[in-house]
Amino acid sequence: MHRRILTLSFLLLAALALPLTASQFAQLPFEDVAQQSTYIVRGTLGPVHSAWDDSGQTIFSYASVNVSKYFGESAGPDTLMVREVGGTVDGYTQQAVGFPTLREGQEVVLFLTKWSDSADYRIHAFNQGKFSVKMIRGVEMAVPDEVQQGSEQAEKPARNPFAISIDSAADDRAPAGSLRMDELELMVNAAREGHRVFKPTLNE
């Protein structure tokens, strides 16, 4: 079957009343994303499946995340269901450009908020709310996810606005915007306690 691809625009998303704001298309400061998230978790994505919504207008992709750690929380469910706009059903593909992708088996750190119409969760602030977990020269790193919808073949990860200096303990060739896992945890804890982590105008 011929594969048809529909790129979802901001206007279409707005018409479908998805929980987005204009500010979320801009890069948000770390503390805002951390404070606005219901959960911040580390885990592994399970099998991904896609389906039309009840109206038959929008495709959503679903994946469970098996949680191994909660940041800034004492406890939470062992498994959460994540739902994102975009996917393929019967050869028909919808892409929401700039939105995160769900890929089975990927170890991730996710900043999650709940959809208003279900118990499912979504990745907050688009790809700002998703990191891949990678070991770089023996150091566990949270790396900005290199794949977004509409850019599956991207050669380099998108720059993450949460970027801070990486000291010599980490690989100096780590992608821009990468954080050591212990750095990430400290930043999350500080943000959840209401502290400003760093200036939102920081550029690196």
Side-chain angles (χ1 to χ4, degrees), residues 29-201:
F30 181 91
E31 58 265 27
D32 285 2
V33 180
Q35 290 168 8
Q36 293 165 8
S37 297
T38 305
Y39 289 128
I40 302 167
V41 302
R42 174 177 175 173
T44 302
L45 293 174
V48 179
H49 72 278
S50 300
W52 290 99
D53 67 352
D54 291 340
S55 70
Q57 294 181 321
T58 306
I59 295 174
F60 288 92
S61 291
Y62 301 78
S64 60
V65 55
N66 298 313
V67 180
S68 59
K69 181 179 179 63
Y70 279 83
F71 294 90
E73 314 291 342
S74 58
D78 293 335
T79 303
L80 299 170
M81 180 59 68
V82 178
R83 169 163 60 105
E84 282 297 326
V85 181
T88 299
V89 177
D90 297 330
Y92 190 96
T93 296
Q94 286 184 344
Q95 292 182 332
V97 175
F99 279 55
T101 60
L102 302 175
R103 305 197 297 284
E104 181 178 356
Q106 186 182 22
E107 188 173 5
V108 291
V109 172
L110 301 177
F111 292 65
L112 299 172
T113 55
K114 187 172 285 189
W115 286 91
S116 61
D117 61 350
S118 76
D120 299 337
Y121 290 85
R122 56 185 286 269
I123 298 171
H124 186 50
F126 307 104
N127 244 45
Q128 282 187 258
K130 184 183 181 196
F131 291 83
S132 298
V133 177
K134 296 184 178 180
M135 188 70 71
I136 301 177
R137 288 194 175 180
V139 178
E140 273 196 331
M141 304 289 292
V143 177
D145 193 38
E146 64 274 15
V147 179
Q148 301 177 17
Q149 292 187 51
S151 59
E152 293 83 356
Q153 305 303 318
E155 297 180 358
K156 296 181 179 179
R159 178 191 172 277
N160 192 293
F162 305 160
I164 61 175
S165 303
I166 301 172
D167 66 24
S168 58
D171 186 354
D172 59 8
R173 292 173 297 179
S178 299
L179 299 168
R180 296 193 316 266
M181 292 300 297
D182 59 341
E183 277 182 324
L184 177 64
E185 183 166 13
L186 288 172
M187 292 170 66
V188 167
N189 290 340
R192 299 287 260 191
E193 291 171 2
H195 302 302
R196 192 173 187 181
V197 176
F198 60 88
K199 294 180 181 179
T201 55

